[in-house]
Amino acid sequence: MRIVVDWDRCTGMGMCESLAPDVFEVDDDGSLIVHSEEVPEGQEGEVREAVASCPTEALSLEGE
Amino acid sequence: MPRLVVVGASLAGLRAVEAVRRDGFDGDVTLIGAEEHLPYDRPPLSKEYLSADECPDPRYREEETFAGDLEVELLLGTPASALDTTGRTVTVAHRAVPYDGLVIATGAHARTLPGTEGIAGVHTVRTLDDAQALRAALRGGARRLTVVGAGFIGSEVAAVGRKLGLEVTILEALETPLARAVGERMGRALTHLHRAQGTDVRTGVAVSEVLAEAGDAAERSSTHGRGRVTGVRLGDGTEVATDVLVVGIGARPTTDWLEGSGLTLDDGVVADETLAAADGVYVAGDVARWPNGLFSGVVDGPMRLEHWTSAADQGGRAARNAVDPASATAYETVPYFWSDWYDGRVQFVGVAPEDGADHIEVVAGDDTEGGPFTAIYRAGERIVGALAVDMPAEVMKYRRLIGGRKSWDDALELAEQRRAARAQKAAEKQREASS
Ligand SMILES: Cc1cc2nc3c(=O)[nH]c(=O)nc-3n(C[C@H](O)[C@H](O)[C@H](O)COP(=O)(O)OP(=O)(O)OC[C@H]3O[C@@H](n4cnc5c(N)ncnc54)[C@H](O)[C@@H]3O)c2cc1C
Ligand code: SF4
């Protein structure tokens, strides 16, 4: 499963980071860093929650 | 075949129908909405929708998605008018729509100033139609904007007004804006953001009258003789002249259609921890009042949020519980909201305890000049909240601690680590710059 970010939509709110911190992190300037585009094993649940909670609907999953 | 009915076709309602379809629910699904519009995103309505020259389309999904992928029957422009929990039906335009599981997601509507109905130039911001009207008013040659209420939505509209070059005045009844939402000290800190941008913030003032003039013949007839706003009179007799008046004094949960249904209505529909309000009836979003287990003992009684993230999450949870009540699970969350003022962003997670003032610590930056800064909130031995202005990397790290019921000492330890990390980054930057 791969994470796809719509960079035009993401505004760096970090909701994703609070749910899946191993995968997402927001930098000091508000830009999103994706530590692993491939969803790490055992973290599918957290990443799905992160996708659903993003207030700009910037995240989606490929190959679910 | 089980049948899910969702009343309220906005964020919580949309997420409700999407969640059960994603899970493979193959019963009938009906989504009922009072507005003519397809479900749309509200946060932009007081932000980009007003400020951007190219007006964005806030719709979440295209119409085909509902009939196609989602297989949802969409009834728009048709408010539900009654609920019968015994016969399990919802009344829509004199038709009884049967349900096995029901999600109530009728949200909230803007409070108005009594006596201002129909006066041209007086606006609230809750719906797309509201935002369209306000966008036109702010861009139609208005010079002065007055906002009643220094809450988050009023503050955002004020910021847009300044961006568009208007003279902006905010009138707030409380001595400290937002004191209930973020505590006195942080309310003062946020007020700096306005003043730094030239917005005139007047606190502890009451609006006693909205002043209007008859206007020309066309305006007289379109406003039924109510005329156009010219200003407001305050409790002490002062007059504030204005071209546009925005009333941002909060929202009321939309529960009128549920009077007499037997559900408990008390500033929202009251539900249990699984969001159940009656057998087969679940609630989600701005209309829902439920006990958030994460903060039992910290806040009194059930809570009602008016935040995007919880409305989306509750929509999914309520619908899953409604189609499978036997395995209903509780909904717990660390509340989150953001608000965009001028070119900055305010973010808040958790709760601000009533007596918050003594239990706030600024752990990064400086709050006396309006930011950037990060502050954390304490209740007993726990960290229960965090507020950040223009520090996007900070607040979500505390959200995890709050969700994990971590201690105040843990929070201070994280604050120390973050300080060190920021210092290291700054040093690296400096090295790069000098090499
Ligand atoms: C201008 C604005 C800015 C905002 N900014 C932010 C922000 O920056 N950050 C943040 O976290 N949150 C923000 N919010 C809050 C967020 O938008 C709400 O929490 C969210 O919209 C709640 O969704 P909901 O589906 O519960 O209710 P709503 O969005 O209120 O939708 C309820 C829907 O139900 C319909 N309805 C009502 N009665 C009936 C009936 N009887 N039958 C059928 N349908 C009915 C209504 O017409 C409406 O479409 C903002 C809200 C507004 C208005
Ligand atoms: S939650 Fe969404 S908007 Fe926020 S940083 Fe993550 S992807 Fe970007």
Side-chain angles (χ1 to χ4, degrees):
Chain A
M1 215 158 53
R2 269 173 55 86
I3 297 160
V4 182
V5 182
D6 182 342
W7 296 103
D8 289 339
R9 299 187 72 101
C10 172
T11 65
M13 295 212 219
M15 196 64 203
C16 51
E17 175 180 343
S18 77
L19 294 162
D22 294 345
V23 178
F24 304 102
E25 188 176 356
V26 173
D27 214 350
D28 296 321
D29 63 357
S31 57
L32 173 65
I33 306 162
V34 181
H35 290 304
S36 153
E37 284 194 2
E38 209 45 59
V39 179
E41 244 185 77
Q43 301 208 8
E44 292 82 3
E46 281 132 274
V47 171
R48 274 211 186 85
E49 263 190 74
V51 169
S53 299
C54 167
T56 64
E57 299 199 327
L59 299 175
S60 55
L61 293 171
E62 220 173 57
E64 254 188 290
Chain B
M1 186 78 82
R3 187 179 168 127
L4 174 71
V5 172
V6 177
V7 183
S10 180
L11 175 60
L14 171 70
R15 293 304 188 89
V17 304
E18 287 185 336
V20 293
R21 283 302 190 225
R22 198 173 315 117
D23 290 354
F25 175 72
D26 60 1
D28 289 340
V29 176
T30 303
L31 178 60
I32 301 166
E35 294 177 76
E36 299 279 352
H37 303 288
L38 286 167
Y40 58 86
D41 200 22
R42 288 179 209 276
L45 300 183
S46 48
K47 309 178 179 72
E48 307 90 89
Y49 192 87
L50 303 174
S51 64
D53 289 331
E54 194 145 327
C55 184
D57 177 0
R59 250 180 314 175
Y60 288 118
R61 308 283 178 267
E62 299 304 320
E63 188 158 10
E64 304 85 76
T65 308
F66 292 94
D69 289 355
L70 288 171
E71 287 184 60
V72 166
E73 180 192 16
L74 197 54
L75 302 177
L76 295 180
T78 51
S81 54
L83 166 65
D84 173 358
T85 55
T86 319
R88 295 208 177 198
T89 60
V90 171
T91 308
V92 183
H94 305 295
R95 178 180 139 204
V97 179
Y99 67 83
D100 298 296
L102 176 72
V103 173
I104 295 176
T106 47
H109 54 276
R111 289 182 56 197
T112 53
L113 277 180
T116 59
E117 290 80 15
I119 300 178
V122 180
H123 298 262
T124 53
V125 206
R126 181 78 203 178
T127 66
L128 185 53
D129 298 347
D130 292 344
Q132 264 158 5
L134 179 59
R135 183 180 157 92
L138 291 177
R139 290 163 167 269
R143 208 164 49 75
R144 292 161 306 193
L145 164 68
T146 300
V147 179
V148 182
F152 285 103
I153 291 176
S155 291
E156 289 183 342
V157 173
V160 169
R162 290 298 297 149
K163 220 176 213 173
L164 295 175
L166 278 71
E167 267 173 51
V168 181
T169 307
I170 299 180
L171 305 172
E172 167 59 48
L174 299 175
E175 287 300 336
T176 309
L178 294 165
R180 257 194 308 262
V182 299
E184 294 276 340
R185 177 171 167 196
M186 290 300 125
R188 276 195 299 278
L190 295 182
T191 307
H192 282 297
L193 298 180
H194 285 306
R195 295 197 167 129
Q197 300 288 335
T199 296
D200 179 8
V201 186
R202 306 195 197 172
T203 58
V205 296
V207 171
S208 64
E209 195 185 346
V210 173
L211 308 169
E213 238 165 43
D216 60 19
E219 198 151 85
R220 271 202 303 279
S221 98
S222 73
T223 63
H224 302 282
R226 306 297 309 273
R228 168 166 292 276
V229 69
T230 57
V232 295
R233 187 173 297 126
L234 304 181
D236 66 0
T238 321
E239 285 184 13
V240 179
T242 198
D243 304 313
V244 179
L245 183 69
V246 170
V247 180
I249 54 174
R252 282 217 175 89
T254 307
T255 55
D256 49 334
W257 68 285
L258 294 167
E259 297 289 344
S261 65
L263 298 187
T264 308
L265 307 180
D266 179 12
D267 186 32
V269 181
V270 180
D272 70 10
E273 46 286 308
T274 67
L275 303 171
D279 249 7
V281 180
Y282 291 80
V283 296
D286 287 11
V287 77
R289 182 172 286 282
W290 97 113
N292 185 353
L294 204 49
F295 296 99
S296 65
V298 176
V299 289
D300 287 336
M303 61 169 79
R304 186 173 73 79
L305 301 172
E306 292 181 357
H307 306 338
W308 195 99
T309 311
S310 45
D313 287 350
Q314 286 177 342
R317 174 55 50 214
R320 290 188 169 116
N321 288 350
V323 298
D324 187 8
S327 34
T329 51
Y331 178 72
E332 283 188 356
T333 194
V334 181
Y336 167 62
F337 68 83
W338 77 98
S339 187
D340 294 343
W341 300 20
Y342 309 95
D343 291 317
R345 173 163 284 171
V346 179
Q347 291 176 290
F348 185 85
V349 294
V351 297
E354 289 282 324
D355 54 351
D358 308 334
H359 302 277
I360 293 176
E361 187 152 324
V362 174
V363 290
D366 178 4
D367 63 313
T368 57
E369 301 284 327
F373 70 88
T374 302
I376 55 178
Y377 295 67
R378 171 184 190 159
E381 287 314 306
R382 270 174 74 181
I383 169 171
V384 294
L387 172 76
V389 172
D390 288 333
M391 288 196 121
E394 304 304 315
V395 67
M396 289 300 174
K397 298 187 169 65
Y398 294 100
R399 185 171 192 262
R400 282 190 71 75
L401 294 191
I402 299 165
R405 295 180 160 81
K406 296 291 189 211
S407 72
W408 183 249
D409 287 342
D410 290 334
L412 293 179
E413 199 181 303
L414 173 63
E416 200 44 62
Q417 285 168 15
R418 293 297 305 157
R419 245 191 297 273
R422 279 194 308 275
Q424 195 184 350
K425 251 196 193 151
E428 273 167 25
K429 253 199 196 136
Q430 206 158 32
R431 255 200 315 277
E432 265 169 39
S434 62
S435 71

